[in-house]
Amino acid sequence: MSSDASIGTPKVSKSDAEWREQLTPEEYQVLRQAGTERPFTGEYDEVFTEGVYSCRACGAELFRSETKFASHCGWPSFYAPSADDNVILREDRSMGMARVEVLCATCHSHLGHVFSGEGYGTPTDQRYCMNSVSLRLEPAS
């Protein structure tokens, strides 16, 4: 798991003003300020269209539809990123609990959290619980 000092410099780096100009207020709050969208409100929560999920901030590939599953938790869930180096995992002790935050490896935007050992029966026994507003789905053609 990475610490703030060890995650390095993002490949895509913009000023705060540039991010605010590019992103909607909700996207900015989640992606750049580690916010969370309300459960069961995101556009991809119950969507199972075949395709690729990319970072809404920088466009980097993050997940593929083959790893998306119905967790019924209120947010889109995946059991693995499309490649391990597409995301950064970082300890998150905010909100009085220990969790693992998931960041885009390309721009270091907040995507959500990953949880293990919940018994979903996925190949990795992990649930990458992502904010829809952090993702953009490109359907397969």
Side-chain angles (χ1 to χ4, degrees), residues 4 18-20 28 41 44 50 54-55 57 63 65 69 71 74-76 82 86 90 97 103 107 116 136:
D4 286 337
E18 289 171 314
W19 285 122
R20 285 182 185 275
Y28 180 84
T41 62
Y44 301 128
E50 186 178 331
S54 300
C55 176
F63 300 94
S65 59
F69 68 100
S71 65
W75 293 275
S82 57
N86 287 355
R90 176 171 68 178
M97 61 184 102
L103 304 171
C107 69
S116 299
R136 180 162 283 119

Side-chain angles (χ1 to χ4, degrees), residues 16 19-20 46 61 88-89 100 106 128:
D16 188 61
W19 285 122
R20 285 182 185 275
E46 294 294 326
E61 181 176 321
I88 296 169
L89 303 181
V100 178
T106 301
Y128 282 78

Side-chain angles (χ1 to χ4, degrees), residues 14-83:
K14 297 182 180 188
S15 70
D16 188 61
E18 289 171 314
W19 285 122
R20 285 182 185 275
E21 187 176 312
Q22 174 188 330
L23 303 169
T24 68
E26 182 185 21
E27 291 168 350
Y28 180 84
Q29 195 265 333
V30 171
L31 287 157
R32 304 309 304 168
Q33 297 183 312
T36 302
E37 66 191 359
R38 289 187 336 273
F40 304 103
T41 62
E43 67 181 304
Y44 301 128
D45 179 27
E46 294 294 326
V47 170
F48 295 95
T49 303
E50 186 178 331
V52 175
Y53 290 84
S54 300
C55 176
R56 195 171 296 227
C58 73
E61 181 176 321
L62 300 168
F63 300 94
R64 293 190 167 258
S65 59
E66 296 83 44
T67 64
K68 192 170 190 296
F69 68 100
S71 65
H72 308 291
C73 70
W75 293 275
S77 297
F78 303 84
Y79 62 78
S82 57

Side-chain angles (χ1 to χ4, degrees), residues 1 6 11 19 21 24 36 41 47 51 101 113 120 129-130:
M1 197 163 343
S6 69
K11 294 174 194 122
W19 285 122
E21 187 176 312
T24 68
T36 302
T41 62
V47 170
E101 181 182 17
H113 292 85
Y120 279 106
C129 182
M130 302 293 97

